[in-house]
Amino acid sequence: MIELKTPAEIERMHVAGRFVAEALSEVGRLADVGVNLLDLERHVRGMIERRGAESCYWDYAPSFGKGPFRNVICLSVNDAVLHGLPHDYVLRDGDVLTADLAVGIDGWVADSARTIIVGNAAEEDLRIIRATEEALEAAIEVARPGNRLGDISAAIWAVASDYGYPVNTEFGGHGIGRTMHEDPHVPNKGRAGRGLKLRPGMTLALEPWLARTTDRIVYDDDGWTIRSADGSRTAHSEHTVAITEDAPLVLTRRDTEEPAARGGSARRVSTEDA
């Protein structure tokens, strides 16, 4: 069942979206060579607590995970792309880091993800990040009344194909609103003109993710972290989008789009930062 949101309800989701955008920008600012993933997680946890927000990940226990998830953010490194369980890992020069965050504020949820590179960036890593970002923008562009769900899926698939990347269909985008995962499922591969007709008031989390050389995935022993089956590097870009009578409204857009590569001297995040 799909709940169409009123403009007032979409604005309440936008409040959560602005916070998610701020938190992901903060992760991008702090992530550097020598920083531990656990310190990044603690910092975001402190931000959520101070805002009075609610983590959508804490105690999350879906059928595909080894639940419950006991962190507030997913942090995935290199060949890990989805549901990365924060653990005792110190970021290294050239690491590819994906941060994925969903929170609720006053009963309304927003969800977003971004991939950055720590330290010196390899061109092939920048390329796959660009592919997911361009696929996301293409998907947003067609998220308009009268189009169909398949138009979104086809837009993502077309960009991935142009770049030469395969597309996995096991995990994709989803409806969002009062909870993190609502109907409908939004595949990252599909045919234009097919599927559910898009209507004003629909709110969707669109999230193209790619691995360089495979569409197959494997799970870590932690039961959560999903990696490319062949160990190739990955990237993931996600925004929460509202379909309106006019242009699509991106509820998790960052005020400034930071570069994917993060350089500079190491800055360790202490628990005092949280």
Side-chain angles (χ1 to χ4, degrees), residues 149-150 152-154 156-157 167-169 171-174 184-190:
L149 208 61
I152 292 175
S153 302
I156 293 170
W157 188 20
V167 176
N168 175 281
T169 56
F171 291 92
H174 50 88
H185 173 65
V186 187
N188 286 330
K189 181 178 181 179

Side-chain angles (χ1 to χ4, degrees), residues 44-173:
V44 175
R45 190 182 305 193
M47 292 183 69
I48 291 172
E49 291 174 353
R50 289 192 296 273
R51 179 59 179 81
E54 182 178 352
S55 168
C56 295
Y57 297 157
W58 189 268
D59 277 343
Y60 182 50
S63 58
F64 58 79
K66 188 186 291 183
F69 198 85
R70 300 310 296 267
N71 291 277
V72 300
I73 188 170
C74 296
L75 297 172
S76 307
V77 180
N78 294 334
D79 59 329
V81 65
L82 296 174
H83 311 152
L85 195 68
H87 59 287
D88 185 13
Y89 177 84
V90 175
L91 291 169
R92 304 168 184 172
D93 186 47
D95 275 347
V96 176
L97 173 67
T98 294
D100 189 351
L101 179 67
V103 303
I105 295 177
D106 297 328
W108 294 93
V109 173
D111 187 3
S112 185
R114 62 180 303 216
T115 299
I116 64 169
I117 300 171
V118 177
N120 295 299
E123 177 54 39
E124 56 266 31
D125 294 332
L126 290 170
R127 185 176 188 271
I128 194 170
I129 293 173
R130 282 197 300 269
T132 62
E133 292 172 344
E134 289 177 18
L136 178 55
E137 293 304 322
I140 292 168
E141 177 58 31
V142 298
R144 298 174 183 270
N147 287 344
R148 293 186 178 272
L149 208 61
D151 295 317
I152 292 175
S153 302
I156 293 170
W157 188 20
V159 173
S161 297
D162 285 347
Y163 272 87
Y165 296 126
V167 176
N168 175 281
T169 56
E170 294 171 71
F171 291 92

